Amino acid sequence: MENLKELIKKVLTREVIFYIIFGVLTTIANIGVFYLLTLLGLNENIANIIAIIVAVLFAYFTNRKLVFNSTASTFKERLTEFYKFMLGRAFTMVVEALGFPLFYNVLGIQELISKLMISFIVIVLNFFISKFFAFKK
């Protein structure tokens, strides 16, 4: 039992907790913007694209300062971080696009379970890409 407590302490760092909190807020922002834009009469597909863009930008700014405490100060450094962050998100989008059919169609795992599994993998990948690639010290 003591080993489990030690492991939890190691895994649930300030960064991880903040990453989870701002990940939930990013999801809320995505759904909220989508819902608001559709209420205003915007086409659902266009609303979805705008909501995704807002959510990714929200994730970038919150991850940059509040989760990973970026010290980038020049315009070039910030632009490089932004580029790396977007590159990482593009990569995990491909992982998700390929991973879901792999789990669901090839491996025959139930649809919702496949979606949850690939979402978990993407969240973990996004964390490590942000920590060790986009916002590395």
Side-chain angles (χ1 to χ4, degrees), residues 5 8 24 52 55 58 72 110-111 124:
K5 285 181 184 178
I8 290 171
V24 169
I52 290 168
F58 178 82
Q110 194 269 339
E111 183 180 84
V124 171

Side-chain angles (χ1 to χ4, degrees), residues 14-26 28 58:
R14 179 197 168 281
E15 267 183 355
V16 171
I17 292 168
F18 274 44
Y19 187 79
I20 292 167
I21 291 167
F22 288 109
V24 169
L25 291 174
T26 298
I28 292 169
F58 178 82

Side-chain angles (χ1 to χ4, degrees), residues 58-77:
F58 178 82
Y60 167 74
F61 287 108
T62 57
N63 280 303
R64 180 181 180 280
K65 269 302 191 195
L66 302 171
V67 177
F68 298 107
N69 298 312
S70 169
T71 57
S73 57
T74 68
F75 178 75
K76 183 179 179 185
E77 289 172 334

